[in-house]
Amino acid sequence: MHIDGRSLARDSVETCDVCIVGSGPAGYSVAKALQGSGLRVTILESGGMKSVTGAHNLSMLGADSSNFVNDFQPSRRQIGGNASAWYIQSGGGHRWIRLAALSRADFDGVTAGDAGGWPLAHEDYMRWVDRADELFGLPAGCEFTPAPEAAPTLLNVPGAETRLYRFGDADRLLSNMRELYEQSAEIRLISQAYATELLPGENGYDIRALRFATQPGETHRIEARTFVLAGGGIAIPQLMLASRSVIPEGIGNQNDTVGRWMMDHPLVSGGKFYPADPAVFRTAAIYDMHFNRGAPYMGYLTMPDTVQAQTGQIAIGSMMFAREAGWRPHSESDRQKRGVGGALSILAALREAHLPPVASVVDAVTGADGIVRRLFERYDQHAASSLTRGGWSHDRRRKFEWFEILHSVEQRPNRNNRIALSRDIDAFGVPKAQLDWRWSDEDAHAVARAQDALADGLAAGGAGRFEVQRVDCKPVLYSASARHFMGSTRMSSDPRQGVVDPDCRVHGLDNLFIASSSVFPTGGYSNPTLSIVALGLRLGDYLRHHMQMSIAA
């Protein structure tokens, strides 16, 4: 059942068994696991059915943030969360989301150092990954490694192996999410409900209520037996730190851990790979988006777990996009980027039947050439393959000569990469998030070593020549952020090294849990969505079991 929060009576007090903050993939997976449990579930979502500027601005960082802010793209605040923004194209008119599981080396925290890895068994985690497949419409038995019969199509690379990205149907998942929210009698979603403060009980060991706002000046409370924070990796620590009317340091922050160890997946421009045999462009379609049993896959190169465990080397995933001689990437100017942003703002305003901001109209007019180019690239069936579209292996019109290599790279957990509270406040009086994030020289040098190892392996295997791109002897950032905000409420058995325990319960609090990429102790190099959903299902199943037992007792 869906309720617009703006229709609630002023100063209302809502009650339920489980309150979930956030309606994106994390919140949905927890709610899905609780469906049919007999528990009353209420989900708070700060946005509405469609994206609007006001809700979007709640995710903007404070002006005192530093470093990767120029690449910062805020999380989507609307029903379905970031699932509404997935747009990978691989044919059939569908939108897809790239999926991969964390490897055993990722899970064991090979590169985590003193911060420590996951306090869970990899086998337990993979059991929930298999459950998560169903929500993405993937056929049973999907694998992350190629079948043995694919061997003739794989590159021979000593010290590296081919793994597979899988792609979930974004439209199907989003449709299922909205169906649950709108039609379930036991799960109630309140939209336009912005969580502003967690209120602890008198003993300090639980959360008795949560305050939320539906419009400036209109606040409400929700009381629940259990609270689950299922927002993004920035919004969750922001809320915990801003909840300081009773506990000055913020909720769950007794060890100064909330907001620390923030990680992302920087994207690195690898360089050019020239295959020794041009036939690779015809035979190695496995490295393009391709369909198998109705589901799209895409191969990429990475380091075997055994090698990473032995060397402690940072993990990178290397994707390949076929290019013609003379191909050059298009570089957008700031003016063109503002034009595209203005067009998106205008579209959002029109969907909500209100006038767009004047600044957006000005940006769209002055950056119109950037809008036209984006539209051309999106709808041109023969546009170059990229992170968001495949198809190069099916294009017989072009004569390819080399592959562009793009790396998605791991970032080691660093306690000083953190989210704090800004001096700036949002429209509801809540301090904005202040982000202090760096891609360290140590990580950059580690990526360079991994690139060199890949180049040596490609040459030794006779696969071809990889010309690594460097500037001032350092890897070249394609983008500082993939919007994969992880680690800021990391999972750890030791409260001094994290925020939640292995059950995703906040240390020191009986009834506050977190379902988000923010609990990841390490992030690997892959899109975190599959792991987010897997952990959400795991948490929902845990709550279902323990809360039903409590009621029965």
Side-chain angles (χ1 to χ4, degrees):
M1 179 172 60
H2 173 207
I3 300 170
D4 188 321
R6 293 169 297 188
S7 68
L8 296 175
R10 184 180 292 271
D11 301 323
S12 68
V13 178
E14 311 296 316
T15 61
C16 62
D17 293 310
V18 181
C19 173
I20 301 172
V21 181
S23 71
Y28 169 69
S29 57
V30 176
K32 186 68 175 175
L34 292 171
Q35 188 177 22
S37 65
L39 298 170
R40 296 172 301 137
V41 178
T42 297
I43 302 171
L44 300 182
E45 169 55 52
S46 56
M49 187 61 73
K50 298 177 180 179
S51 176
V52 295
T53 302
H56 178 79
N57 288 341
L58 294 174
S59 293
M60 298 302 291
L61 298 173
D64 45 2
S65 295
S66 61
N67 299 296
F68 88 171
V69 177
N70 289 335
D71 275 346
F72 179 75
Q73 293 292 323
S75 297
R76 188 69 66 96
R77 287 185 181 266
Q78 68 181 97
I79 296 174
N82 283 337
S84 302
W86 298 336
Y87 59 95
I88 292 175
Q89 303 173 60
S90 59
H94 285 246
R95 298 181 307 117
W96 304 89
I97 173 66
R98 183 179 286 106
L99 304 173
L102 291 163
S103 71
R104 186 175 299 277
D106 296 330
F107 222 71
D108 291 345
V110 169
T111 59
D114 294 338
W118 290 73
L120 300 177
H122 187 253
E123 291 77 10
D124 179 40
Y125 158 78
M126 287 302 299
R127 181 165 64 90
W128 293 100
V129 166
D130 291 340
R131 284 270 302 274
D133 285 345
E134 301 173 15
L135 298 191
F136 290 101
L138 294 171
C142 285
E143 297 293 339
F144 293 103
T145 55
E149 56 267 26
T153 70
L154 305 181
L155 292 173
N156 178 22
V157 189
E161 66 181 12
T162 298
R163 292 184 189 163
L164 298 173
Y165 285 121
R166 305 178 305 183
F167 294 82
D169 190 330
D171 292 311
R172 172 175 171 170
L173 178 65
L174 190 59
S175 176
N176 290 342
M177 294 167 75
R178 289 174 173 170
E179 181 180 351
L180 177 71
Y181 298 150
E182 293 175 0
Q183 299 182 14
S184 174
E186 60 190 323
I187 296 174
R188 182 178 59 155
L189 182 141
I190 304 177
S191 63
Q192 307 291 345
Y194 177 44
T196 59
E197 186 176 12
L198 294 159
L199 302 171
E202 294 180 1
N203 59 14
Y205 296 119
D206 64 358
I207 301 298
R208 74 174 187 273
L210 183 149
R211 184 176 289 122
F212 65 96
T214 52
Q215 299 182 76
E218 291 194 13
T219 60
H220 311 264
R221 285 163 52 99
I222 184 164
E223 298 174 353
R225 294 171 57 206
T226 296
F227 293 86
V228 178
L229 305 183
I234 292 179
I236 288 176
Q238 177 193 9
L239 174 61
M240 296 175 72
L241 292 171
S243 300
R244 51 188 179 175
S245 63
V246 177
I247 303 175
E249 65 270 21
I251 297 297
N253 197 34
Q254 59 271 22
N255 293 302
D256 188 23
T257 52
V258 173
R260 294 189 177 274
W261 293 287
M262 209 285 282
M263 301 174 290
D264 202 333
H265 289 139
L267 295 173
V268 172
S269 295
K272 298 180 178 182
F273 167 50
Y274 294 89
D277 183 358
V280 165
F281 295 108
R282 298 192 304 273
T283 61
I286 196 169
Y287 297 101
D288 187 15
M289 293 183 196
H290 61 284
F291 282 81
N292 183 23
R293 292 191 292 161
Y297 289 75
M298 176 180 170
Y300 64 97
L301 294 171
T302 191
M303 187 183 307
D305 285 353
T306 53
V307 174
Q308 190 181 357
Q310 291 167 2
T311 63
Q313 181 59 275
I314 201 167
I316 67 172
S318 302
M319 297 168 283
M320 303 191 300
F321 305 99
R323 303 301 187 207
E324 298 172 280
W327 182 87
R328 295 286 186 275
H330 171 66
S331 178
E332 286 184 327
S333 67
D334 289 342
R335 174 185 57 79
Q336 290 171 322
K337 290 178 180 177
R338 288 195 300 272
V340 172
L344 294 174
S345 176
I346 292 171
L347 285 174
L350 293 176
R351 291 191 195 103
E352 296 299 309
H354 62 75
L355 293 175
V358 174
S360 296
V361 176
V362 172
D363 286 342
V365 171
T366 57
D369 55 332
I371 299 170
V372 171
R373 178 174 286 274
R374 286 282 190 99
L375 290 172
F376 175 78
E377 290 177 349
R378 179 164 186 172
Y379 294 106
D380 178 14
Q381 296 300 312
H382 300 286
S385 295
S386 66
L387 277 172
T388 60
R389 69 184 299 159
W392 61 260
S393 61
H394 307 295
D395 192 340
R396 304 302 181 187
R397 302 188 316 163
R398 296 175 176 172
K399 183 180 179 181
F400 298 116
E401 292 195 4
W402 54 280
F403 285 101
E404 179 187 14
I405 302 291
L406 186 65
H407 308 295
S408 178
V409 308
E410 177 183 17
Q411 185 183 20
R412 301 175 194 268
N414 181 338
R415 196 176 192 276
N416 293 323
N417 280 342
R418 67 178 302 191
I419 296 154
L421 295 181
S422 170
R423 293 186 297 271
D424 300 333
I425 60 173
D426 62 28
F428 293 97
V430 177
K432 293 184 178 182
Q434 178 197 64
L435 181 60
D436 186 6
W437 179 94
R438 289 173 175 79
W439 192 43
S440 69
D441 287 343
E442 179 187 10
D443 281 349
H445 294 322
V447 169
R449 291 193 296 271
Q451 289 178 307
D452 291 340
L454 177 60
D456 292 344
L458 286 164
R465 184 179 81 257
F466 178 22
E467 294 182 353
V468 180
Q469 184 178 0
R470 299 274 167 76
V471 172
D472 296 330
C473 300
K474 291 184 177 181
V476 178
L477 277 177
Y478 176 88
S479 173
S481 172
R483 299 173 63 185
H484 299 164
F485 307 127
M486 304 168 289
S488 53
T489 62
R490 73 191 310 265
M491 183 188 296
S492 175
S493 297
D494 183 350
R496 296 168 298 179
Q497 293 293 332
V499 176
V500 302
D501 66 17
D503 293 323
C504 292
R505 188 198 314 265
V506 174
H507 288 298
L509 290 164
D510 294 334
N511 68 337
L512 180 62
F513 296 79
I514 298 178
S516 170
S517 57
S518 67
V519 306
F520 290 16
T522 61
Y525 55 79
S526 299
N527 185 305
T529 302
L530 184 62
S531 298
I532 291 171
V533 171
L535 292 177
L537 290 171
R538 177 178 179 268
L539 174 57
D541 192 69
Y542 173 90
L543 294 176
R544 181 188 188 110
H545 174 71
H546 286 273
M547 294 185 72
Q548 284 180 332
M549 286 186 61
S550 175
I551 292 172

